[in-house]
Amino acid sequence: MTLSPGVVPWQHVDMLYISIETAIALASVLGNVLVVLVVAVNRALRDTTFCFIVSLAVADIAVGVLVIPLAIVISLGLNTQFYTCLFVSCLLLIITQSSILSLLAIAIDRYLRVKIPTRYSIIVTQTRAWVAVCLCWMLSFLAGLVPLLGWHNHDARMGNISESSDIVCKFTSVMSMDYMVYFNFFGWVVLPLTIMITLYVEIFRVIRRQLNMRAEATCDADRYYQKELKLAKSLALVVFLFALCWLPLHIMNCIIFFCPECHMPKIAMYVGIFMSHVNSALNPLVYAFRIKRFRVTLIQITRRCMLCKPYPTSLTCTEKTAVNGSPCRQDCQLV
């Protein structure tokens, strides 16, 4: 990539934008690396749900390592070949789609867990979970690379002598807005989010119904559904934060597409981009504050690796439950 003659990149990019994006990238990478590390350390977290959570964490790490730096590079307005710029832009879409497919896989997994609890472990195995993770990433790559097959902004090449001629690399210059609105937004954001909302509504309905049948429920069944309810709330919060952070940017794309004469303030686009990127740094906070097993393991890792303190030689009953995944008491109290 080469800079346009006489163009100073800092004249096109606000220093505040670069600084905030860099901070978001560091927070996203650090937080999600810890998520992967916690799952690797705590055997109790190596279940099928956390396979998909690890996949989501990897996508969020990629946001910090790839998406944000590439977004900054694109914002500099560098001169590149058309298809080089288009490929870089497609990478941004692949990571986004892998995130939402991982969230969808998590919702399906939790739905099966409460809908068919007795057959869940037979149907949803670790091997099948990892196959589903691979399938999510394959679909993300296929959907994200569609613009390279021809569904891109042909106007960006109008007036060029040849396809090898350089253009000013901007996302909106190479990416077709009808692809972004009809295919990416309606097909790969709205539809999965609608399915996830429906699944979580059904999950909460089933759990509430089971908890209301206390007279017929056993102590173990009551504890099981209480645990599922708490985890479902945490994962539903992750979905809510994803929608909250990503919908503004997609809505602005729709406004630009359906109302070309409407002016979209640059600051609004910056805020939308910030919100979409900061979502990757929020998920580890949700896990840390909402999932006890995750939080206890994270504290132990911090003591051992960052503060140079060994693991505690004795754990409380609650800590043993959080680390080992099985309660150390045989009563009905949810630990």
Side-chain angles (χ1 to χ4, degrees), residues 15-283:
M15 282 294 296
L16 180 61
Y17 170 76
I18 301 292
S19 301
I20 295 177
E21 287 281 51
T22 302
I24 294 173
L26 292 175
S28 177
V29 172
L30 177 60
N32 286 285
V33 166
L34 286 175
V35 170
V36 176
L37 185 59
V38 165
V39 175
V41 168
N42 191 338
R43 289 177 296 176
L45 294 176
R46 298 176 196 170
D47 58 15
T48 52
T49 299
F50 277 87
C51 291
F52 302 119
I53 289 179
V54 167
S55 174
L56 180 60
V58 171
D60 288 337
I61 292 172
V63 169
V65 174
L66 289 176
V67 172
I68 293 178
L70 289 177
I72 293 174
V73 169
I74 289 178
S75 69
L76 295 177
L78 303 180
N79 277 8
T80 70
Q81 292 184 355
F82 176 85
Y83 283 104
T84 300
C85 183
L86 182 61
F87 178 73
V88 170
S89 300
C90 287
L91 287 179
L92 309 183
L93 301 176
I94 290 171
I95 305 303
T96 304
Q97 289 160 352
S98 66
S99 296
I100 198 165
L101 288 180
S102 296
L103 290 171
L104 179 59
I106 291 172
I108 295 173
D109 175 77
R110 303 321 298 178
Y111 173 77
L112 294 176
R113 193 173 180 89
V114 300
K115 198 69 174 179
I116 50 171
T118 57
R119 292 182 294 154
Y120 171 82
S121 59
I122 300 175
I123 296 175
V124 185
T125 63
Q126 283 277 3
T127 302
R128 289 175 179 173
W130 286 116
V131 169
V133 168
C134 293
L135 182 61
C136 288
W137 280 92
M138 288 175 60
L139 289 174
S140 300
F141 271 93
L142 292 175
L145 294 178
V146 165
L148 283 175
L149 302 178
W151 199 350
H152 53 252
N153 187 6
H154 295 276
D155 294 338
R157 289 186 290 153
M158 291 181 62
N160 287 348
I161 298 175
S162 67
E163 292 186 358
S164 61
S165 300
D166 287 348
I167 65 167
V168 177
C169 185
K170 293 285 186 179
F171 185 86
T172 53
S173 298
V174 297
M175 200 63 64
S176 173
M177 289 307 296
D178 56 345
Y179 165 84
M180 288 299 301
V181 172
Y182 292 123
F183 187 83
N184 185 262
F185 179 47
F186 291 147
W188 288 89
V189 176
V190 173
L191 180 60
L193 278 177
T194 303
I195 296 173
M196 281 186 275
I197 292 172
T198 303
L199 287 174
Y200 277 109
V201 168
E202 180 64 13
I203 288 170
F204 290 131
R205 188 190 69 81
V206 171
I207 293 176
R208 291 295 186 187
R209 184 185 64 192
Q210 293 295 332
L211 291 177
N212 289 334
M213 297 169 58
R214 291 185 180 275
E216 302 176 11
T218 64
C219 172
D220 289 339
D222 186 64
R223 182 164 51 217
Y224 174 83
Y225 283 106
Q226 287 281 4
K227 178 183 174 182
E228 289 300 317
L229 177 61
K230 186 174 182 180
L231 185 55
K233 287 180 178 179
S234 301
L235 297 175
L237 177 60
V238 172
V239 174
F240 172 76
L241 290 174
F242 181 91
L244 182 67
C245 292
W246 277 97
L247 286 181
L249 184 60
H250 283 289
I251 291 173
M252 283 187 282
N253 284 337
C254 290
I255 294 174
I256 294 172
F257 178 67
F258 291 113
C259 182
E261 66 277 7
C262 297
H263 173 68
M264 185 60 61
K266 188 175 182 180
I267 186 64
M269 295 300 297
Y270 271 162
V271 171
I273 294 172
F274 286 147
M275 290 181 65
S276 66
H277 292 166
V278 80
N279 176 250
S280 298
L282 293 178
N283 292 339

Side-chain angles (χ1 to χ4, degrees), residues 219-220 223 317 321 326-335:
C219 172
D220 289 339
R223 182 164 51 217
C317 178
T321 299
S326 58
C328 58
R329 290 176 287 181
Q330 300 301 318
D331 54 27
C332 286
Q333 183 178 356
L334 179 67
V335 291

